[in-house]
């Protein structure tokens, strides 16, 4: 009986090829995250025979690395990929990479700059730097979490998602929006549409009364939002005119972070 150890199998040419195929398949699903891919599309784009593609997808589905929509029958990345991403996030020192950008934004604008990441259907603040303007807005504390779309960081990440994923998130957080004043599912959808039209996220009087903030998503190599940088000030100070004045600085720092992380 030929008993191959896992180590020997992984080191063999066949094992290496299998790993490369799986990684390629997962990258493909990340690139086509919305609306996902049909089985035949996966096979064609990966250059695999259909029986091989079918076996790989079923194995990955059992391990929750991919998920199949029961209605559209399309495959997308599964929940385990998200969990592994969370586990690995600390190793990439996102806070350390973004801290100089937050400092430059706070110094240039005088206002508070924030770093947000996505956790499920929520935006979590993981860092902030206060500026020198006499009136600051440090109400959103590090570690706080709010539904995607309620604050500028969450809205920036939400509007950068595909339409199907936006609909999924909005539906999931709808019951929680009432805690943020007169804000409902329709308002959130409108905020997404307006942010896309404007080219950046801007929202006020929701996450914190009397405060307005603007934000932009930090996108990974596949174009998916992995985090967001925002600048917040009192609503009287953060006028539409001032938003446009400080937007170039925010755009520059997002480009800097994306270059450091993904290029």
């Amino acid at each position: 009986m030929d008993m191959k150890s896992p180590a020997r199998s992984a080191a063999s040419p066949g094992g290496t090829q299998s790993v490369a195929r799986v990684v390629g398949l997962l990258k493909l699903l990340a690139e086509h995250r919305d609306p996902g891919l049909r089985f035949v599309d996966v096979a064609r784009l990966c250059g695999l025979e259909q029986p091989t593609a079918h076996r790989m997808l079923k194995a990955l589905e059992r391990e929750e690395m991919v998920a199949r929509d029961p209605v559209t029958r399309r495959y997308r990345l599964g929940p385990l990929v998200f969990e592994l991403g969370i586990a690995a996030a600390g190793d990439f020192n996102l806070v350390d990479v973004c801290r100089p950008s937050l400092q430059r934004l706070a110094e240039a604008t005088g206002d508070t700059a924030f770093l947000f990441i996505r956790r499920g259907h929520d935006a979590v603040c993981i860092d902030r730097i206060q500026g020198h303007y006499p009136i600051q807005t440090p109400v959103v504390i590090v570690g706080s979490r709010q539904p995607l779309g309620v604050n500028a960081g969450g809205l920036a990440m939400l509007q950068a998602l595909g339409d199907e994923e936006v609909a999924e998130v909005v539906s999931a957080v709808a019951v929680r929006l009432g805690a943020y004043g007169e804000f409902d599912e329709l308002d959130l959808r409108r905020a997404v549409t307006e942010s896309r039209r404007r080219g950046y996220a801007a929202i006020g009087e929701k996450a914190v009364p009397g405060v307005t903030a603007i934000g932009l998503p930090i996108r990974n190599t596949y174009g998916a939002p992995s985090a967001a940088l925002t600048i917040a000030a009192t609503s009287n100070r953060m006028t539409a005119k001032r938003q446009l004045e400080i937007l170039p600085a925010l755009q520059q720092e997002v480009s800097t972070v994306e270059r450091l992380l993904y290029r």
Side-chain angles (χ1 to χ4, degrees), residues 140-205:
V140 176
I141 61 174
V142 174
S144 64
R145 134 185 339 239
Q146 294 170 318
L148 285 172
V150 168
N151 58 51
L155 182 58
M157 290 185 282
L158 182 61
Q159 60 88 26
L161 299 174
D163 290 342
E164 289 192 8
E165 194 166 2
V166 168
E168 176 186 331
V169 171
V170 172
S171 177
V173 304
V175 296
R176 301 164 57 195
L177 298 178
Y180 299 93
E182 296 181 358
F183 196 52
D184 58 21
E185 185 174 348
L186 181 58
D187 293 323
L188 182 52
R189 293 183 185 276
R190 287 173 176 165
V192 168
T193 300
E194 179 61 19
S195 292
R196 288 174 170 175
R197 183 198 65 78
R198 187 190 295 114
Y200 65 94
I203 192 166
E205 310 294 332

Side-chain angles (χ1 to χ4, degrees), residues 99-138:
R99 175 59 69 89
S101 289
L102 292 182
Q103 291 174 331
R104 286 191 292 267
L105 287 172
E107 181 178 349
T109 66
D111 299 313
T112 306
F114 295 88
L115 171 63
F116 288 89
I117 57 172
R118 179 183 176 184
R119 287 293 181 262
H121 298 135
D122 290 349
V124 181
C125 175
I126 62 172
D127 199 12
R128 73 178 187 191
I129 299 289
Q130 288 183 242
H132 52 75
Y133 189 71
I135 303 176
Q136 291 295 309
T137 59

Side-chain angles (χ1 to χ4, degrees), residues 21-182:
R21 284 176 170 177
V22 168
V23 171
L25 190 155
L26 293 174
K27 287 182 177 180
L28 183 68
L29 291 179
E31 183 177 354
H32 297 271
R33 63 193 182 278
D34 185 21
L37 289 173
R38 300 175 301 167
F39 156 68
V40 293
D41 296 326
V42 173
R44 175 176 57 83
L45 293 172
C46 287
L48 299 172
E49 296 292 333
Q50 290 193 6
T52 302
H54 184 265
R55 287 195 298 271
M56 289 176 60
L57 286 168
K58 288 302 179 184
L60 291 170
E61 189 176 11
R62 285 194 296 271
E63 299 298 329
E64 296 188 326
M65 293 289 285
V66 305
R68 190 185 190 195
D69 189 298
V71 177
T72 66
R73 311 185 82 175
R74 291 174 179 264
Y75 287 92
R76 302 172 68 178
L77 292 178
L80 182 57
V81 174
F82 177 70
E83 294 172 13
L84 293 175
I86 293 176
D91 296 332
F92 291 97
N93 297 317
L94 181 61
V95 170
D96 291 341
V97 170
C98 293
R99 175 59 69 89
S101 289
L102 292 182
Q103 291 174 331
R104 286 191 292 267
L105 287 172
E107 181 178 349
T109 66
D111 299 313
T112 306
F114 295 88
L115 171 63
F116 288 89
I117 57 172
R118 179 183 176 184
R119 287 293 181 262
H121 298 135
D122 290 349
V124 181
C125 175
I126 62 172
D127 199 12
R128 73 178 187 191
I129 299 289
Q130 288 183 242
H132 52 75
Y133 189 71
I135 303 176
Q136 291 295 309
T137 59
V139 181
V140 176
I141 61 174
V142 174
S144 64
R145 134 185 339 239
Q146 294 170 318
L148 285 172
V150 168
N151 58 51
L155 182 58
M157 290 185 282
L158 182 61
Q159 60 88 26
L161 299 174
D163 290 342
E164 289 192 8
E165 194 166 2
V166 168
E168 176 186 331
V169 171
V170 172
S171 177
V173 304
V175 296
R176 301 164 57 195
L177 298 178
Y180 299 93
E182 296 181 358

